[in-house]
Amino acid sequence: MVKTLGERSHPYIPNSQPEIKQEMMREIGIKTINELYADIPEKYLLNKPLNLPKALSEFEIKRHIETLLSKNETCSHMPIFLGAGCWPHYVPAVVKEIMQRSELLTSYTPYQPEISQGMLQALFEYQSMICELTAMDVANCSMYDWASALGEAARMAARVTRKNEVLVPQIIHPERTKTLQVYAEPAGIKVVHVAYQKETGLINIEDLKKKISQKTAAVYIENPSYLGFVETQVEEIGEIAHDNKALFIVGVDPTSLGVLKPPGDYGADIVVGEAQPLGNAMNFGGPLLGIFACRDEIGLIRQMPGRIIGLTTTVEGNRHGFCMVLQTREQHIRREKATSNICSNEALCAVASAVYMALLGPEGFRELGETIMLKANYAMKLLSKIEGVKTPVFNSPHFKEFTVNFDGTGLSVKEVHKRLLQRHIHGGKEVSKDFPELGETALYCVTEIHSKEEIERLASALKEVLAKR
Amino acid sequence: MFKQANWNEPIIFNLGRSGRKGHLLPKAEEEIRRAVGELDALIPKHMRREHKPNLPELSEVEVYRHFLRLSEMNYGVDSGFYPLGSCTMKYNPKINEQLANLPTINMVHPYQDASTVQGILEILYRLERMLAEITGTHEVCLQPSAGAHGEFLGTLLMRAYHKKNGEIQQRREIIVPDSAHGTNPASAAMAGFNVVVVPSDSEGCVDLEALKTVVSERTAGLMLTNPNTLGIFEKNIEEIAKIIHEAGGLLYYDGANLNPLLGKVRPGDMGFDIVHMNIHKTFSTPHGGGGPGAGPVGVSKDLARFLPVPRIVFDGNSYRLDYDRPESIGKIRCFYGNVAVLLKAYAYILSLGFEGLKEVAEVSVLNANYLMKKLMEIKGLTLPFNSGKPRKHECVFSAKPLKNETGVSALNIAKRLLDYGLHAPTIYFPLIVEEALMIEPTETFEKEEIDRFVEAMRKICEEAYANPEKTLKAPHNTAILKLDEVKASHPRTMSLSWRMYLKKKV
Ligand SMILES: Cc1ncc(COP(=O)(O)O)c(C=O)c1O
């Protein structure tokens, strides 16, 4: 016989108090709770305890988890020059406070709009501010992350155009390509890579023209690209896509949009991206926050995945209010014919981003972009002076990430990074495996949180570790 | 009487003044500016942003107040009873929030060297083992971001399995019951399958005879929620599993309703090959107004090889991420899952242990059956599929008699409940119940709060017979009165962003 909690009641389970339990059982007319499980075939009822750690008190849990987590190194104690899809940025205190507001934190999806206006308005404001940043008209209130948003965008493009090929640059996050392929394949969509120009990393326009065809549903580019440079041929690429009746999809890092031209200004039909940098901590890579936006065209809007909040009025018409709209696209109504299966999303992260965007405002985004870009370029400048180091690999403008090549040093990225780590500095992400043609190369990232001193420390540490072969 | 705050808060674009600042960012140091030069020199002219984004300009004070007021116009589990069926709206322990906000997780990058992330890897590894133990599966993948994402992964695993067996061309169909959640057929379709619906029998369970007629060599698998969305345990699960497995299909467990089975019954033991869990339901992480959640997937030994990369491995000494899985389906998102959410689930399981989890299950079932018993006494409501069997964690009532007799619908009841400072149940789901009210009290509400709900339901139904006007016009006490949802979705008036609104001026 398995023991139960017995006489103790658990803080999270008010009715575990034995007398209350008895009272309720009497009310139902049962003697033991197991009577409520009597319809379950005996053979499936567990007859031994599960092999789980024994219950701990709150204090013990805190100590246990704090102790484990203290084994992690963090970017507040060690400069970390990693980006590649999840970026170290500062999260303002106000954002954190709002994220902990219980009425938002502990609410479900706003199915009952009258009692959920707070969440609905905050999400509408998120959508609206994303639209302003990207210069698009409509945004949904979140996807899981950039990669899955891209997968959904490819599927949407295929539905809208009734074609089944998407062209994507060779230089793209490998995890994003993998995700895209996984989303595309069951829908019969073929993912075709477009070559890049060796010198600049930019899309090879000739190759794009060669590969685009009657079958192309969409052309996708990223700006800034995965390897940090700015794709500058955007208008031309958009025109080629549109001339071939394909949609133009652009992936963005929104921290760049205070200084770089927004995709809505160069003809994007769909914009995807990652809004984690807007007020969401890194958390070892999740939760993230996928951006999904498109133009105001009913044929596009009707094919969008995910939840969308709209502005409306009360039935009396005397006041504005907010509710979920166009639910007939979604799984709970359309089932297997839905535009996507997404249900729970990343709503609270979207609220965090709304707060962040409101805090920064138009000037703040300009400053953020400027600070990041200047610092990253400063880092490139310092590192490029080190013998044997080439950075950036591509001769193009770079925003916050840049490639650093170590071929001239005779050392592998792994070895360089090992030595940096011994000096308590974390280098960038190795990309040699995913892009073997680039040799021993890593992708470094510098944001507003990297101080001049930290950048200089990186440079001198690199000099040191490279000096001894 | 409950009265929700009503700030009539302006849209943020109408607040603030030009030139106000909400946050001071670090700036590039002078030396950096001198060394690098002006920004304009770094960006070719045609790639510069010409017009500043039209964002509001507010001080920090105004931003905080705005969102604070918005939060006051919202209702969460901490506000009161939240019996949203299928969503398992349980209390979200505060200690878990504190832990998930430690810098030692917030400030950790996913691509850090394994030697610098041993703590979080250990937590995730242990959590995988715990969830495998709880669900009776062989291996667990923590990566899916939500339940539906787990379903997508699950159906992709079916695809990979049948592909490996050379049968994917033939096995085109996934079977789902008519009581299934919309994400089940939607996920199956996303993974490229055709959906075949099997009806429920008079007891609300999968109709076995009907199942036999739809199962064939085309069957890739069956997706089942157990207890199902009526809160009823699929008692023929053994037979169902046999039918599916004999036909060469796989059995998928939608874990949205795992709560009443914790420490009592394991999906793996019932023959399920693939199981997803809704961490934001069963394992107490807050739902955040829609997310983020997490939807880990547990699988049988045969299927583990197909799981997304990386897998977390432990060599007895240290933890690392293993990408060398040649048969993996690939990735369904970047990185390793919603780690901050998963950490809370880890803390939650530690706070309960086996006995506590079992208590969670039992009290959730006790609460649901108690509530059901009480509601059955109310005129206007019926309990469809009532075979005298107990429900598990939830029960589904129909307000059809009330609607016929008074005009007051399930929707009206839902709206009127809000006036009492109670959240409404899930309504109009599952689709097989007319005027459905799907009620899940969970184990974390006390008897007094449940009684308050029952009392409100009784009053609402009585009011419907006596004077339906008030209920038909509900809600009255919420931040805002009934909204024009038709206008909201009409192409002419639809305003999906502030700039779209300014163009249209509804
Ligand atoms: C029965 C059932 N299945 C699946 C889901 C989908 O889960 P999620 O919202 O986490 O994607 C839900 C949640 O609403 C559900 O109730």
Side-chain angles (χ1 to χ4, degrees):
Chain A
M1 187 57 202
V2 173
K3 270 197 334 202
T4 64
L5 274 191
E7 296 307 300
R8 251 174 352 127
S9 78
H10 193 280
Y12 305 159
I13 317 174
N15 296 344
S16 62
Q17 202 267 13
E19 277 159 37
I20 300 173
K21 241 200 261 185
Q22 285 302 330
E23 200 184 313
M24 292 173 76
M25 284 197 282
R26 240 192 334 270
E27 196 76 50
I28 308 174
I30 55 170
K31 293 216 170 56
T32 69
I33 290 192
N34 275 340
E35 289 176 47
L36 298 176
Y37 287 87
D39 54 334
I40 299 183
E42 180 85 32
K43 64 188 280 196
Y44 296 132
L45 289 170
L46 276 173
N47 54 8
K48 61 172 190 339
L50 293 177
N51 179 18
L52 292 172
K54 76 168 183 31
L56 300 178
S57 67
E58 181 170 319
F59 171 73
E60 289 164 324
I61 292 167
K62 184 167 185 306
R63 195 169 54 183
H64 167 73
I65 290 182
E66 280 177 352
T67 307
L68 278 178
L69 288 180
S70 70
K71 296 185 195 167
N72 297 337
E73 295 274 9
T74 73
C75 64
S76 54
H77 290 108
M78 167 174 71
I80 292 177
F81 294 95
L82 284 164
C86 181
W87 298 273
H89 289 278
Y90 180 66
V91 179
V94 168
V95 176
K96 288 196 169 173
E97 285 287 323
I98 295 296
M99 292 277 272
Q100 284 304 314
R101 286 294 303 185
S102 194
E103 304 90 329
L104 299 174
L105 177 72
T106 75
S107 65
Y108 201 77
T109 299
Y111 289 134
Q112 297 293 339
E114 296 88 353
I115 205 165
S116 315
Q117 281 300 296
M119 196 69 208
L120 286 161
Q121 183 168 341
L123 290 174
F124 180 82
E125 292 176 350
Y126 161 79
Q127 292 175 182
S128 298
M129 289 190 269
I130 287 290
C131 287
E132 297 304 336
L133 270 185
T134 55
M136 301 299 282
D137 305 306
V138 184
N140 76 11
C141 76
S142 73
M143 304 301 291
Y144 303 136
D145 74 333
W146 183 347
S148 59
L150 172 58
E152 296 270 19
R155 297 179 70 117
M156 171 168 152
R159 289 194 300 271
V160 170
T161 62
R162 297 170 191 279
K163 301 196 270 180
N164 62 359
E165 233 175 66
V166 290
L167 302 186
V168 308
Q170 197 89 43
I171 294 179
I172 171 179
H173 195 312
E175 295 195 24
R176 225 174 275 145
T177 325
K178 275 208 178 95
T179 307
L180 171 62
Q181 266 154 357
V182 164
Y183 271 75
E185 193 260 346
I189 300 169
K190 202 168 131 205
V191 179
V192 179
H193 288 277
V194 179
Y196 62 88
Q197 306 169 24
K198 265 210 163 73
E199 256 313 282
T200 58
L202 306 185
I203 294 258
N204 179 332
I205 297 285
E206 286 319 303
D207 196 48
L208 172 64
K209 284 184 180 160
K210 211 166 77 204
K211 283 177 179 156
I212 200 162
S213 74
Q214 301 287 309
K215 287 184 275 180
T216 311
V219 175
Y220 173 67
I221 63 158
E222 299 186 341
N223 226 351
S225 72
Y226 172 58
L227 295 182
F229 56 83
V230 179
E231 173 58 74
T232 53
Q233 318 165 101
V234 287
E235 258 138 46
E236 201 179 348
I237 297 168
E239 270 167 33
I240 294 170
H242 290 150
D243 286 347
N244 288 275
K245 299 203 164 36
L247 297 187
F248 184 28
I249 307 176
V250 180
V252 292
D253 167 356
T255 58
S256 70
L257 293 178
V259 295
L260 293 186
K261 184 176 261 188
D265 285 0
Y266 52 81
D269 300 295
I270 302 175
V271 171
V272 293
E274 181 53 64
Q276 171 269 327
L278 307 182
N280 289 285
M282 294 190 291
N283 288 318
F284 201 45
L288 299 169
L289 172 55
I291 295 173
F292 200 107
C294 74
R295 285 189 291 107
D296 179 7
E297 191 182 301
I298 197 69
L300 293 176
I301 296 172
R302 286 235 165 93
Q303 289 298 334
M304 273 178 90
R307 295 203 172 109
I308 307 175
I309 313 304
L311 175 62
T312 185
T313 61
T314 52
V315 174
E316 268 88 55
N318 55 355
R319 220 190 112 177
H320 282 119
F322 304 87
C323 63
M324 297 202 282
V325 297
L326 298 171
Q327 295 189 56
T328 47
R329 298 165 301 115
E330 292 189 60
Q331 46 75 29
H332 59 285
I333 293 177
R334 199 49 69 78
R335 298 176 81 82
E336 66 270 20
K337 295 196 180 64
T339 55
S340 166
N341 69 337
I342 191 168
C343 183
S344 291
N345 50 28
E346 313 294 298
L348 195 68
C349 300
V351 175
S353 286
V355 179
Y356 186 86
M357 289 186 274
L359 283 171
L360 258 64
E363 267 312 311
F365 268 95
R366 159 87 196 175
E367 277 173 28
L368 179 69
E370 182 177 83
T371 303
I372 292 173
M373 195 157 184
L374 291 178
K375 286 188 170 185
N377 278 272
Y378 180 64
M380 282 190 283
K381 203 160 202 147
L382 288 193
L383 300 194
S384 64
K385 286 186 191 140
I386 303 169
E387 209 191 310
V389 172
K390 179 172 165 33
T391 180
V393 172
F394 298 114
N395 183 17
S396 285
H398 284 68
F399 178 61
K400 78 179 176 195
E401 292 178 87
F402 50 93
T403 37
V404 182
N405 176 281
F406 296 102
D407 283 349
T409 70
L411 292 178
S412 66
V413 172
K414 277 202 182 62
E415 182 57 30
V416 176
H417 282 185
K418 205 172 100 195
R419 295 182 185 183
L420 279 180
L421 208 50
Q422 283 161 357
R423 283 161 178 76
H424 215 59
I425 292 173
H426 202 300
K429 178 174 195 289
E430 183 180 351
V431 295
S432 334
K433 240 205 232 133
D434 298 311
F435 303 93
E437 69 276 21
L438 300 183
E440 288 297 325
T441 295
L443 178 64
Y444 275 63
C445 169
V446 170
T447 76
E448 84 285 0
I449 70 158
H450 295 93
S451 67
K452 178 171 160 289
E453 290 67 34
E454 282 176 326
I455 296 168
E456 286 163 0
R457 231 183 94 199
L458 168 69
S460 55
L462 264 179
K463 232 177 266 166
E464 256 177 70
V465 305
L466 294 176
K468 59 167 196 145
R469 297 278 151 103
Chain B
M1 198 71 187
F2 166 76
K3 192 89 190 144
Q4 194 178 28
N6 171 9
W7 287 104
N8 206 357
E9 181 67 9
I11 181 101
I12 197 155
F13 291 91
N14 282 340
L15 291 170
R17 287 277 286 275
S18 165
R20 283 215 181 112
K21 255 188 184 316
H23 185 70
L24 292 183
L25 289 155
K27 287 211 161 155
E29 292 82 346
E30 259 320 301
E31 294 95 315
I32 291 187
R33 286 174 187 277
R34 245 177 284 134
V36 180
E38 284 304 309
L39 187 70
D40 277 355
L42 299 176
I43 310 173
K45 189 158 186 303
H46 76 283
M47 284 310 293
R48 288 178 209 151
R49 181 157 198 142
E50 282 156 12
H51 312 283
K52 280 182 200 159
N54 176 33
L55 296 173
E57 295 179 70
L58 296 92
S59 60
E60 177 173 330
V61 183
E62 292 162 282
V63 172
Y64 187 71
R65 185 193 300 130
H66 173 69
F67 286 99
L68 180 102
R69 287 180 171 179
L70 292 188
S71 73
E72 289 181 346
M73 295 195 286
N74 219 57
Y75 185 100
V77 163
D78 288 344
S79 314
F81 201 50
Y82 215 125
L84 206 58
S86 208
C87 301
T88 314
M89 293 298 282
K90 56 170 80 179
Y91 174 70
N92 313 129
K94 302 306 159 200
I95 179 65
N96 302 355
E97 294 306 311
Q98 281 189 15
L99 293 169
N101 277 297
L102 291 170
T104 44
I105 171 165
N106 288 172
M107 296 190 180
V108 178
H109 191 281
Y111 287 141
Q112 275 177 232
D113 191 82
S115 66
T116 67
V117 290
Q118 286 297 301
I120 189 63
L121 286 177
E122 181 169 347
I123 288 175
L124 296 176
Y125 182 86
R126 285 181 180 217
L127 179 63
E128 281 188 359
R129 294 319 313 153
M130 288 172 171
L131 295 176
E133 174 72 5
I134 291 168
T135 54
T137 52
H138 186 73
E139 268 191 54
V140 166
C141 166
L142 299 174
Q143 295 187 33
S145 314
H149 210 205
E151 292 173 26
F152 182 48
L153 171 56
T155 46
L156 290 169
L157 294 174
M158 289 193 192
R159 208 179 157 80
Y161 172 84
H162 293 308
K163 202 179 246 169
K164 179 159 172 97
N165 293 341
E167 292 188 338
I168 190 64
Q169 297 306 329
Q170 156 202 338
R171 298 197 179 269
R172 308 295 319 144
E173 296 175 356
I174 286 183
I175 304 170
V176 299
D178 57 0
S179 60
H181 192 261
T183 49
N184 291 184
S187 302
M190 259 181 94
F193 292 100
N194 301 323
V195 174
V196 176
V197 177
V198 59
S200 304
D201 64 15
S202 61
E203 291 189 13
C205 293
V206 170
D207 185 327
L208 274 186
E209 290 316 308
L211 179 64
K212 283 177 195 158
T213 63
V214 297
V215 166
S216 72
E217 69 290 343
R218 292 184 305 278
T219 303
L222 167 73
M223 298 178 85
L224 194 64
T225 313
N226 193 17
N228 62 29
T229 58
L230 294 164
I232 298 171
F233 188 86
E234 295 280 353
K235 58 182 189 314
N236 295 321
I237 182 61
E238 185 172 13
E239 181 83 27
I240 293 171
K242 209 171 126 211
I243 294 171
I244 297 300
H245 285 149
E246 277 176 3
L250 293 169
L251 201 54
Y252 183 94
Y253 183 84
D254 176 338
N257 294 351
L258 181 65
N259 207 43
L261 301 191
L262 290 173
K264 304 284 294 185
V265 178
R266 306 195 299 175
D269 298 343
M270 292 188 276
F272 287 94
D273 306 290
I274 310 169
V275 176
H276 90 247
M277 290 146 267
N278 296 69
I279 291 296
H280 44 294
K281 298 179 179 179
T282 314
F283 296 96
S284 88
T285 67
H287 204 273
V297 164
V299 294
S300 61
K301 198 165 175 199
D302 275 357
L303 296 172
R305 68 184 76 178
F306 302 121
L307 289 174
V309 284
R311 303 287 306 138
I312 306 167
V313 292
F314 180 53
D315 63 9
N317 243 328
S318 60
Y319 299 85
R320 68 182 175 85
L321 295 164
D322 180 12
Y323 286 85
D324 188 18
R325 301 282 164 133
E327 293 185 74
S328 161
I329 60 135
K331 297 285 297 170
I332 54 166
R333 56 162 289 169
C334 272
F335 313 119
Y336 330 118
N338 284 349
V339 175
V341 175
L342 295 162
L343 175 83
K344 298 177 199 177
Y346 177 72
Y348 179 70
I349 296 171
L350 287 184
S351 74
L352 291 154
F354 164 66
E355 282 165 21
L357 287 175
K358 194 152 113 21
E359 188 73 9
V360 164
E362 291 184 351
V363 176
S364 78
V365 174
L366 177 68
N367 285 355
N369 283 279
Y370 171 80
L371 192 144
M372 180 173 91
K373 173 90 192 310
K374 293 277 182 181
L375 290 185
M376 280 168 78
E377 294 158 9
I378 296 175
K379 184 180 168 202
L381 304 179
T382 57
L383 182 75
F385 304 104
N386 181 12
S387 58
K389 293 241 169 66
R391 293 304 195 259
K392 292 293 163 287
H393 61 300
E394 67 195 357
C395 52
V396 181
F397 278 85
S398 169
K400 199 175 160 201
L402 192 76
K403 170 113 191 262
N404 289 343
E405 289 158 27
T406 71
V408 170
S409 64
L411 178 69
N412 301 135
I413 296 178
K415 298 297 179 200
R416 189 72 178 123
L417 276 167
L418 307 180
D419 284 340
Y420 287 84
L422 296 157
H423 200 277
T426 296
I427 48 175
Y428 302 105
F429 177 71
L431 306 179
I432 56 172
V433 173
E434 285 178 75
E435 295 298 320
L437 292 157
M438 184 193 213
I439 310 171
E440 180 180 11
T442 83
E443 74 286 358
T444 71
F445 283 98
E446 73 278 22
K447 179 174 175 296
E448 295 87 328
E449 189 72 357
I450 299 174
D451 288 339
R452 196 164 81 81
F453 173 76
V454 172
E455 194 46 32
M457 286 293 288
R458 198 180 51 74
K459 278 206 200 121
I460 291 167
C461 293
E462 280 172 12
E463 192 181 58
Y465 285 101
N467 172 22
E469 273 311 289
K470 187 105 196 224
T471 299
L472 289 171
K473 291 213 176 95
H476 307 274
N477 302 341
T478 46
I480 200 165
L481 306 187
K482 205 179 269 171
L483 287 162
D484 191 342
E485 299 195 35
V486 175
K487 186 176 181 177
S489 286
H490 193 283
R492 209 162 18 100
T493 42
M494 187 165 72
S495 301
L496 311 179
S497 65
W498 185 240
R499 57 161 59 193
M500 208 165 155
Y501 167 76
L502 291 180
K503 264 199 295 186
K504 294 190 178 175
K505 283 277 186 197
V506 215

